[in-house]
Amino acid sequence: MTTLIDGSVLEGGGQILRNSISLAALLGKPISIHKVRNGRKPPGLKNQHRTGIELAAEIASARLTGATNGSTEVEFAPGRITPGNYTADPVTAGAATLLLQISLPLLLFTPSATPSTLTLKGGTNATSAPQIDYIQRVFLPFATRHFGLKVDVDVRRRGYFPRGGGEVHVTVFPGADGARLTSASVMERGTVTRIGGIAHIAGLPGHLGRTMAEGATRRLAQRGFAPDAAVPVPVEIESRREKNENTVGAGSGIVLWAELAGGGVIGGSAVGRKGADAVTVGEEAANELINGLEADGCVDEWLQDQIIIFMALAEGTSEVRCGKDGLTLHTRTAIWVAEQLTDAKFDVTVEDSGHTIIRCTGIGYTAPTDSDLSNK
């Protein structure tokens, strides 16, 4: 029986598509998604989304219909997930990180323990998706520590809007012998133990990276995050100018992250753009990080929605303390998709302190064995 997914629910964007396709592939459930990206103008698939579901279809040996640009209805009937070496290229500045979001859960659960590789092309640093540095410094350290993921990411070439052309190599190590994801319990924030960062530029004068880093450092110090503050916090923001052969086009950006004693991590980022001076870009990233820290949760607003699918797949009960700003629309959408396609049970509560707690009893998903597949 085909499961129907309404792509206009809540956030109404590409996240519904990515999470639905990933879960359908893992669970062997044919799905039909209608009103795809109904909350966007124009609605329907763009290059980036089409490339992502085509990648998932290749990994999962799926029958895919409706995967054309502008399409508002997609049908996906998965088969066997196979480890291998896969390449995806939207031929635009479409985000490589969003291609990773749809494909990573599949390759974590291949029938054998054979590692897989992804060569993901497109944009690496844009405003409409997590920067690749955020994935490397915030998402993956958190997911590795708390869910047991093992993933390596190597940025071979940066690609900036509007030309794209970046290239990211990812190695995914699935669990051996049907290993399940571990449940996460991240309820104590603790102190800020360190703030790290990277200011990256390409095709531009080197001093702009240093200026971005200095702008972020000064802003953080104004809010009490500095080595010489009353409560000392080490702050280390690297400035990196990429070699011309390692980039396509010119661009810049900065990603910051705060490591918390309780095992959480908060990120902040900004992307350079025409008309914005480097100091302002650095301050924007710092302000984003400060806002995340002052919300007083263990994860930031972007990390909270990215971990929902892993909470649903993990074994046992996961619990994560979010900030006082409540759940984002993206997070509520991710929970809705997980509840449509899995038996995971989510419970969202708001404490007297104002913090939102997400608890999830996961399904303890394991990769099907060869005998399971032969008996289908």
Side-chain angles (χ1 to χ4, degrees):
M1 178 180 294
T2 299
T3 301
L4 300 178
I5 299 293
D6 184 347
S8 68
V9 168
L10 294 170
E11 183 262 341
Q15 182 194 40
I16 293 177
L17 188 76
R18 289 187 294 275
N19 285 19
S20 296
I21 293 288
S22 292
L23 289 171
L26 289 169
L27 298 171
K29 290 185 176 183
I31 61 170
S32 176
I33 308 172
H34 60 103
K35 298 182 182 179
V36 170
R37 298 184 67 248
N38 196 68
R40 301 292 184 264
K41 294 182 181 180
L45 297 179
K46 297 177 73 173
N47 259 27
Q48 173 182 282
H49 311 97
R50 174 184 54 77
T51 303
I53 60 177
E54 287 175 343
L55 172 60
E58 183 182 3
I59 295 170
S61 310
R63 185 177 71 254
L64 176 64
T65 57
T68 57
N69 285 8
S71 173
T72 57
E73 186 163 337
V74 172
E75 294 188 359
F76 182 89
R80 179 190 177 102
I81 294 175
T82 307
N85 304 313
Y86 298 96
T87 298
D89 183 1
V91 199
T92 65
T97 54
L98 298 185
L99 297 177
L100 180 61
Q101 280 187 8
I102 194 171
S103 55
L104 175 59
L106 279 61
L107 295 176
L108 288 171
F109 295 103
T110 54
S112 71
T114 304
S116 294
T117 63
L118 292 163
T119 300
L120 305 176
K121 301 183 179 182
T124 59
N125 301 88
T127 57
S128 57
Q131 295 191 54
I132 190 63
D133 309 270
Y134 179 94
I135 297 298
Q136 289 179 299
R137 307 293 187 165
V138 179
F139 167 73
L140 281 177
F142 184 94
T144 298
R145 177 172 183 172
H146 298 291
F147 295 108
L149 273 63
K150 187 176 181 184
V151 181
D152 291 336
V153 174
D154 179 22
V155 182
R156 300 288 177 88
R157 186 167 60 246
R158 289 190 185 270
Y160 295 95
F161 182 84
R163 294 183 63 185
E167 185 172 314
V168 178
H169 287 210
V170 182
T171 305
V172 182
F173 300 87
D177 301 322
R180 296 171 169 86
L181 297 182
T182 56
S183 57
S185 180
V186 193
M187 297 292 287
E188 298 298 327
R189 180 181 181 277
T191 59
V192 178
T193 59
R194 175 180 177 270
I195 292 177
I198 177 170
H200 54 84
I201 62 168
L204 298 169
H207 70 85
L208 295 178
R210 295 189 295 273
T211 303
M212 271 193 295
E214 290 165 2
T217 300
R218 281 197 299 271
R219 182 69 184 120
L220 289 167
Q222 289 170 0
R223 298 305 288 264
F225 299 105
D228 58 356
V231 180
V233 178
V235 178
E236 303 168 6
I237 304 176
E238 173 190 359
S239 172
R240 179 185 300 171
R241 188 183 189 281
E242 303 289 353
K243 295 179 180 179
N244 289 340
E245 60 267 27
N246 292 340
T247 61
V248 175
S252 64
I254 180 170
V255 174
L256 308 174
W257 56 91
E259 299 166 5
L260 306 178
V265 59
I266 306 292
S269 64
V271 175
R273 60 197 182 279
K274 188 175 181 179
D277 64 78
V279 170
T280 298
V281 175
E283 290 174 344
E284 288 174 354
N287 285 335
E288 199 168 85
L289 180 64
I290 291 164
N291 290 340
L293 289 169
E294 291 183 346
D296 199 38
C298 299
V299 294
D300 62 45
E301 60 180 291
W302 301 277
L303 186 55
Q304 69 176 233
D305 79 78
Q306 292 181 61
I307 64 176
I308 294 300
I309 190 171
F310 300 102
M311 295 177 76
L313 294 169
E315 182 176 31
T317 299
S318 295
E319 52 183 5
V320 177
R321 171 178 153 178
C322 301
K324 298 178 181 179
D325 297 334
L327 298 188
T328 65
L329 188 57
H330 272 83
T331 302
R332 292 192 285 125
T333 305
I335 291 173
W336 178 83
V337 170
E339 291 180 331
Q340 300 304 300
L341 289 167
T342 77
D343 292 327
K345 305 298 182 185
F346 284 87
D347 179 51
V348 178
T349 57
V350 179
E351 297 185 324
D352 291 341
S353 63
H355 295 92
T356 299
I357 308 299
I358 305 175
R359 290 186 174 87
C360 174
T361 303
I363 63 174
Y365 180 82
T366 58
T369 63
D370 289 336
S371 60
D372 291 333
L373 293 167
S374 63
N375 291 330
K376 280 192 174 183

